[in-house]
Amino acid sequence: MSAVQTNDGQRLEPGGRKSTWRVIATVLFPWMTAKFLYKPRVGPSPKDRMLDRLAFWRSIVGLGVILVATSHYQDVWGNIIQKAMETGRLAVILLPLALLAIFVVTRSGLRAQLLPGVLRLIGRSVLALALFYLPIVLIFAAAGNLSFASLANGEAEFTSDIDINASGSAALWVLVAILAAIVLVPWFFGLWYCTIYWAARTGFWMGEVHPLLAPIGTTVLMLLISGQELITRDTKGVPDWLWLTLNLCGAATALVLAVLEYRHLRSTGYRFRNGPEPVTQDSDGSAAADQT
């Protein structure tokens, strides 16, 4: 690959200053780190990018509305994390069923194409679970209440005080550790919340296995969560009318976006039986039959 010639006559090598700053920003800003680690691939067409931006802004605006509307009545962040954990539990349960279903419906000669997506899904899910549970494990260990039940429920009670006695060179290392914690802990918790966002938004990256699983899988998860809340009617102190409005509007906007994404993917040639790659109608006669 040749170097790029700029307008002022300077030669800019590939991967030059702009790429360097992008790498630095990806490391420094936790939301960019999470985007690099977790964001699924976006198609090349303008409509792909538009739908991706719509999904992002729907999530951000929805979160902002919930924060403003319910902060007076409940611990919003705690409830959001609890809902995200519930989404994660359901996703872990539904993932094997989704993988089995897509394996069964895909034509036998095309099933090998599903393997790279399955490996990407497993890699991102394992990384997300490890980063999500790391601070919880450390907190529970310090609290003396580390157990499977405490990790599953997300509740801990500190039974003993943490006492650090250091002198001489040990005190210097304690000071370094404290300074590192001041810098790293806010960064890590930013990454922690972004990890929750990507796992919840993508349904644990179902779309990596097959693009059509993205709108279908995440919609099923959303409907299960919303249906469970509507059945139990656990408003957590939020007025009934406000709680119902937020739930119904959230479900409606998610459904509309999922339908738009599904129709777009179908129009570009994605079919369940033909594997995770798009097909053209004239290249495979059965693809045309799948449209009906």
Side-chain angles (χ1 to χ4, degrees):
M1 184 179 293
S2 61
V4 177
Q5 189 79 15
T6 58
N7 293 332
D8 56 2
Q10 295 181 349
R11 292 168 62 85
L12 180 62
E13 295 294 334
R17 183 176 300 177
K18 185 176 181 180
S19 298
T20 302
W21 282 113
R22 182 174 298 177
V23 171
I24 294 174
T26 301
V27 173
L28 290 180
F29 300 107
W31 55 89
M32 293 189 67
T33 305
K35 180 180 178 181
F36 173 77
L37 293 175
Y38 302 126
K39 184 176 181 179
R41 296 171 298 172
V42 179
S45 72
K47 193 167 184 179
D48 289 320
R49 296 190 292 271
M50 181 192 69
L51 289 172
D52 179 68
R53 287 193 293 268
L54 282 176
F56 170 77
W57 284 111
R58 178 204 165 270
S59 301
I60 296 301
V61 172
L63 177 61
V65 170
I66 292 174
L67 287 173
V68 172
T70 65
S71 58
H72 180 70
Y73 306 101
Q74 62 174 350
D75 177 14
V76 179
W77 288 110
N79 288 325
I80 289 174
I81 293 175
Q82 182 180 0
K83 182 178 289 189
M85 292 181 69
E86 183 63 25
T87 302
R89 294 190 189 103
L90 287 174
V92 170
I93 295 172
L94 291 177
L95 272 177
L97 300 177
L99 294 180
L100 178 60
I102 196 66
F103 180 81
V104 170
V105 302
T106 302
R107 291 190 174 93
S108 58
L110 302 172
R111 287 170 182 164
Q113 297 180 6
L114 299 173
L115 180 59
V118 172
L119 294 178
R120 286 194 300 269
L121 179 148
I122 293 174
R124 283 177 169 163
S125 299
V126 169
L127 179 62
L129 288 172
L131 289 177
F132 177 80
Y133 276 106
L134 178 61
I136 300 177
V137 169
L138 295 177
I139 292 172
F140 287 157
N145 191 28
L146 182 60
S147 65
F148 181 79
S150 62
L151 291 176
N153 297 327
E155 298 177 354
E157 294 181 1
F158 283 83
T159 57
S160 60
D161 296 329
I162 300 175
D163 185 19
I164 299 177
N165 295 315
S167 60
S169 61
L172 177 61
W173 288 109
V174 171
L175 179 60
V176 171
I178 293 174
L179 293 176
I182 293 175
V183 175
L184 294 178
V185 167
W187 183 92
F188 186 85
F189 273 97
L191 179 64
W192 192 68
Y193 278 107
C194 291
T195 299
I196 296 173
Y197 165 78
W198 282 111
R201 174 180 163 181
T202 60
F204 268 62
W205 299 276
M206 287 186 183
E208 291 287 4
V209 180
H210 194 292
L212 290 177
L213 281 179
I216 293 178
T218 53
T219 301
V220 169
L221 283 174
M222 179 273 299
L223 291 176
L224 287 175
I225 296 293
S226 299
Q228 179 178 315
E229 290 187 353
L230 291 173
I231 292 173
T232 58
R233 293 186 60 83
D234 185 10
T235 64
K236 300 186 184 324
V238 179
D240 290 344
W241 66 269
L242 178 59
W243 170 82
L244 185 61
T245 300
L246 292 175
N247 274 279
L248 293 180
C249 289
T253 55
L255 280 172
V256 169
L257 190 59
V259 170
L260 291 175
E261 183 179 359
Y262 180 82
R263 289 175 60 88
H264 171 64
L265 290 171
R266 290 278 298 180
S267 68
T268 53
Y270 287 102
R271 303 291 184 271
F272 279 113
R273 291 184 55 78
N274 291 88
E277 299 298 329
V279 296
T280 56
Q281 296 183 29
D282 53 358
S283 64
D284 186 354
S286 58
D290 287 342
Q291 286 186 325
T292 59

